[in-house]
Amino acid sequence: MIAPEEVDEGRVRLSVDGQRLTGTLLTPEAPVPGFLFVHGWGGDQDEDLGLAEELARLGCICFTFDLRGHADSDASRDEVTRQNGLDDVTAAYDYLASQPLIDPGAIGVIGTSYGGYLSALLTKTRAVRWLALRVPALYPDQHWDVPKAKLDKAAVRAYRQQRRTPGEDRALAACAAFQGDVLIVQSGKDDRIPPEVIASYQAAFKDVNSFSHRIMPDATHAMRDPADQRLYATLLINWVEEMVRASRRSYR
């Protein structure tokens, strides 16, 4: 018969057959941080699973999902609007935040391209502490309810060629109100997101707790090269580890 007795924080005495054993119980720090991954247009959650597994090893709870119109979704991608995408991301965030071990004040969102755009918009209505954006996209506010696949591609390209401000772009307006920690990762050989878009995001994040900007010189937008994928994983994991360590110190 084992009768445990907690002596001090983590220190435990066990009585076994009249003998006393002393042990130390080590448990994950709770509550724990959570991270939501949002893939890009035309992608799926498989692209994020490896990174999510790495962050889970750091003691974080991670959630990846497929936006509607992607992977096994029943929805037609040609009919999906940006509002649909934002609704999906909001529902995914709420599911993650509902997990019992999650610290509601320590939730991060990691978005790529279109997923980065949606992640920025999410911060307007949900509490996000950490925001990591890889090659985040921008779109004109006009035609919000037009299916994303049917937007005028030439107009979108032209919109991205000029610096934009929070006063003319709802995603940048959300960034201007954000006060958490930000990481932006830019691809040096990006053929879809010009430097003006990254500069617009960077200027919008004026009231954040911290801002980090990393440029991967040889990376393309899709980042198919395994070497670039490893570099991005290192950048992201190091940043998250730094953020999580800082948050855990604040509990003490």
Side-chain angles (χ1 to χ4, degrees):
M1 182 67 179
I2 300 178
E5 174 191 358
E6 187 168 348
V7 178
D8 198 357
E9 184 177 351
R11 300 288 289 177
V12 178
R13 287 177 182 164
L14 303 178
S15 295
V16 185
D17 298 331
Q19 301 297 315
R20 187 177 67 186
L21 308 180
T22 301
T24 303
L25 180 67
L26 302 177
T27 60
E29 296 188 46
V32 300
F35 283 89
L36 173 67
F37 286 80
V38 188
H39 65 77
W41 185 258
D44 58 47
Q45 65 175 306
D46 287 347
E47 299 173 1
D48 297 322
L49 282 175
L51 290 169
E53 289 170 354
E54 290 288 342
L55 297 193
R57 294 188 187 101
L58 297 178
C60 304
I61 295 177
C62 298
F63 184 54
T64 66
F65 72 104
D66 295 318
L67 291 163
R68 76 181 77 177
H70 295 74
D72 295 329
S73 169
D74 292 332
S76 169
R77 192 182 307 174
D78 289 344
E79 300 303 322
V80 172
T81 68
R82 284 177 283 173
Q83 184 62 56
N84 295 148
L86 184 55
D87 290 344
D88 293 348
V89 173
T90 303
Y93 173 97
D94 290 345
Y95 173 77
L96 175 64
S98 73
Q99 301 308 301
L101 288 179
I102 288 284
D103 178 356
I107 296 179
V109 183
I110 300 168
T112 296
S113 192
Y114 175 61
Y117 170 75
L118 295 177
S119 299
L121 290 168
L122 176 71
T123 65
K124 189 68 175 176
T125 59
R126 293 297 185 271
V128 176
R129 183 165 181 173
W130 304 297
L131 185 62
L133 307 176
R134 187 180 79 79
V135 295
L138 277 182
Y139 300 87
D141 289 346
Q142 293 85 356
H143 310 300
W144 173 256
D145 291 319
V146 171
K148 195 266 184 194
K150 298 178 181 178
L151 292 175
D152 186 326
K153 293 180 175 56
V156 171
R157 283 195 299 270
Y159 184 79
R160 294 174 179 172
Q161 297 287 334
Q162 303 293 325
R163 290 276 297 269
R164 301 296 170 180
T165 67
E168 62 184 316
D169 187 286
R170 62 190 298 178
L172 295 178
C175 295
F178 186 66
Q179 297 182 341
D181 299 279
V182 177
L183 169 68
I184 290 184
V185 179
Q186 178 180 357
S187 286
K189 296 182 179 179
D190 199 322
D191 59 348
R192 298 184 189 178
I193 306 299
E196 288 81 3
V197 170
I198 303 299
S200 297
Y201 271 104
Q202 187 170 3
F205 285 117
K206 55 184 174 48
D207 290 326
V208 295
N209 184 56
S210 71
F211 181 88
S212 299
H213 176 208
R214 301 288 183 268
I215 302 176
M216 299 172 54
D218 299 322
T220 62
H221 183 81
M223 201 176 65
R224 302 298 185 196
D225 189 324
D228 291 328
Q229 294 171 8
R230 289 192 296 271
L231 176 57
Y232 172 61
T234 299
L235 290 173
L236 179 65
I237 292 165
N238 287 346
W239 181 77
V240 169
E241 188 170 18
E242 179 184 352
M243 296 297 107
V244 169
R245 283 180 175 173
S247 71
R248 285 173 173 163
R249 284 196 297 269
S250 68
Y251 293 140
R252 296 171 183 153

